[in-house]
């Protein structure tokens, strides 16, 4: 566990113990997924954790992060000027993140493999 995670978790535990309201930064929330999974950040919805493979056609993916111990392949499909599908691919592993262009995204697929 990194020092940053320990500090964030200790601060949250102390604040909850004192009965105060805690607002957690997006970076700290991204670290809440278990090892061997991916964190998916949607354009118009709350982020979520994912294992295995999933396809998204109604949600637009803005960002994907691999957690420790995961290899993640994320692909987003767009239509070019000639209305032909074009795919953008992200290969992520062990805590790295990548972003997709939101505008014009038709669908996306995210596959998580524990390493």
């Amino acid at each position: 566990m990194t020092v940053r995670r320990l500090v964030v978790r200790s601060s949250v535990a102390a604040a909850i113990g004192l009965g105060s309201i805690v607002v957690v930064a997006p970076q700290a929330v991204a670290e809440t997924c278990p090892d061997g999974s991916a964190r998916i950040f949607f354009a118009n919805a709350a982020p979520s954790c994912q294992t295995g493979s999933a396809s998204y056609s109604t949600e637009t993916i803005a960002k994907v992060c691999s957690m420790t111990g995961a290899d993640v392949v994320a692909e987003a499909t767009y239509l070019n000027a000639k209305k032909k599908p074009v795919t953008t691919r992200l290969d992520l592993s062990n805590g790295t993140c990548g972003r997709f262009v939101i505008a014009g995204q038709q669908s996306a697929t995210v596959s998580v493999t524990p390493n």
Side-chain angles (χ1 to χ4, degrees), residues 9-50:
R9 289 180 182 172
S10 297
S11 299
V12 170
I16 291 172
L18 295 173
S20 59
I21 297 173
V22 177
V23 177
V24 181
Q27 294 83 2
V29 173
E31 296 176 349
T32 62
C33 289
D35 289 349
S37 67
R39 184 78 168 168
I40 312 297
F41 293 85
F42 298 102
N44 295 319
S48 68
C49 299
Q50 178 187 314

Side-chain angles (χ1 to χ4, degrees), residues 14-113:
I16 291 172
L18 295 173
S20 59
I21 297 173
V22 177
V23 177
V24 181
Q27 294 83 2
V29 173
E31 296 176 349
T32 62
C33 289
D35 289 349
S37 67
R39 184 78 168 168
I40 312 297
F41 293 85
F42 298 102
N44 295 319
S48 68
C49 299
Q50 178 187 314
T51 58
S53 295
S55 295
Y56 302 93
S57 58
T58 57
E59 299 98 344
T60 302
I61 295 178
K63 180 179 173 181
V64 178
C65 294
S66 67
M67 298 294 108
T68 302
D71 292 325
V72 177
V73 175
E75 296 179 335
T77 303
Y78 305 87
L79 296 179
N80 66 12
K82 296 181 181 180
K83 303 293 184 197
K84 296 201 179 221
V86 177
T87 301
T88 301
R89 179 181 169 122
L90 300 172
D91 291 308
L92 309 167
S93 63
N94 294 321
T96 59
C97 295
R99 292 188 178 274
F100 285 122
V101 173
I102 295 172
Q105 192 178 115
Q106 299 293 307
S107 64
T109 302
V110 179
S111 299
V112 182
T113 307

